[in-house]
């Protein structure tokens, strides 16, 4: 049996499809596209096949051959679109998750309060936020040398205890 | 009277119920479950017939509504913008 069979009537089309070839969602999607200009009826027929019956509404397109062609094109497009979406599902989910996480902004007070802060991590300050300005930016003193050299005027260093 | 048979695998029962409610004012719509199928028996009302509504159109519109609602409930719309 052919995968697809078409019966053309006067302003109507009966198309029988193999569900293995066109997923059901693709058939629904294609039917939905025609629902504004045709009366559409789906039915299950023997051998795992689905029948799509289109009948043009009054004043709608009455060229049944064109209607059949459009329906077949739409079925193919829907099936292909779903295959692409399925292939890229992981990527789409990843991008969406990143976008949502970025849109959420910095943590609020509730999130900060909910953070697990234990004794081991409570006093860690890797960014030096808790340091005073002087501690953080003061010029470092030169390390004292073992033998104190005389100062610039050549005076000896003061004696200890004087 | 026109009898419509909607296959239970392809149509959503809630969608058919809703279609019957929407088109109920135009006639009498009896719903029944027979095996795998939802059956709708459509008879146009006198008032609707006087307004030019024929039974075949009423039945076809009901079937379209049921299909459209089924597709929307299953989230399988095509995304082409061709739907009503």
């Amino acid at each position: 049996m052919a995968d697809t069979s078409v019966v053309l009537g006067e302003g109507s089309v009966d198309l029988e499809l193999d569900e293995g070839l066109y997923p059901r969602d693709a058939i629904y999607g294609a039917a939905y596209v025609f629902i504004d200009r045709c009366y559409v009826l789906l039915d299950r027929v023997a051998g795992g096949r689905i029948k799509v019956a289109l009948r043009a509404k009054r004043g709608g397109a009455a060229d049944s051959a064109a209607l059949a062609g459009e329906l077949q094109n739409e079925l193919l497009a829907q099936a292909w679109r779903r295959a692409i979406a399925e292939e890229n599902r992981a990527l789409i989910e990843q991008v969406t998750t990143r976008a949502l996480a970025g849109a959420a902004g910095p943590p609020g007070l509730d999130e900060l309060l909910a953070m697990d802060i234990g004794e081991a991590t409570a006093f860690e300050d890797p960014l030096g936020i808790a340091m005073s300005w002087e501690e953080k930016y003061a010029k470092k003193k030169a390390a004292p040398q073992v033998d104190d050299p005389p100062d610039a005027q050549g005076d000896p260093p003061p004696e200890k205890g004087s | 009277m026109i009898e419509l048979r909607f296959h239970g695998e392809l149509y959503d029962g809630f969608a058919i119920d809703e279609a019957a409610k929407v088109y109920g004012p135009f006639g009498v719509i009896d719903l029944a479950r027979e095996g795998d199928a939802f059956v709708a028996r459509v008879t146009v009302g006198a008032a609707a017939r006087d307004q030019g509504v024929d039974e075949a159109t009423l039945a076809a519109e009901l079937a379209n509504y049921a299909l459209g609602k089924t597709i929307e409930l299953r989230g399988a719309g095509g995304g082409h913008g061709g739907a009503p």
Side-chain angles (χ1 to χ4, degrees), chain B:
Chain B
M1 188 266 289
I2 292 178
E3 184 176 287
L4 295 167
R5 299 184 80 81
F6 301 106
H7 200 285
E9 277 182 30
L10 301 172
Y11 285 84
D12 190 300
F14 292 108
I16 294 168
D17 279 345
E18 194 169 325
K21 279 180 195 160
V22 167
Y23 289 98
F26 295 97
V28 178
I29 298 163
D30 289 324
L31 298 179
R33 185 81 200 244
E34 292 181 7
D36 287 340
F38 299 102
V39 178
R41 295 183 179 89
V42 181
T43 308
V44 72
R49 190 182 291 117
D50 291 344
Q51 289 171 10
V53 178
D54 66 290
E55 215 156 66
T57 304
L58 180 61
E61 290 287 353
L62 184 142
N64 249 19
Y65 191 97
L67 179 61
K69 201 72 194 171
T70 296
I71 294 168
E72 285 175 8
L73 288 172
R74 295 187 185 191
H80 261 259

Side-chain angles (χ1 to χ4, degrees), chain A residues 60-103:
Chain A
D63 184 352
S64 50
L67 215 52
E70 277 185 57
L71 177 59
Q72 286 174 307
N73 277 358
E74 191 59 42
L75 281 163
L76 192 60
Q78 292 282 341
W80 183 236
R81 184 180 300 124
R82 275 165 173 74
I84 291 170
E86 197 57 44
E87 277 176 20
N88 295 323
R89 181 175 299 279
L91 181 65
I92 292 165
E93 284 175 358
Q94 193 181 4
V95 170
T96 308
T97 305
R98 279 192 191 179
L100 289 174

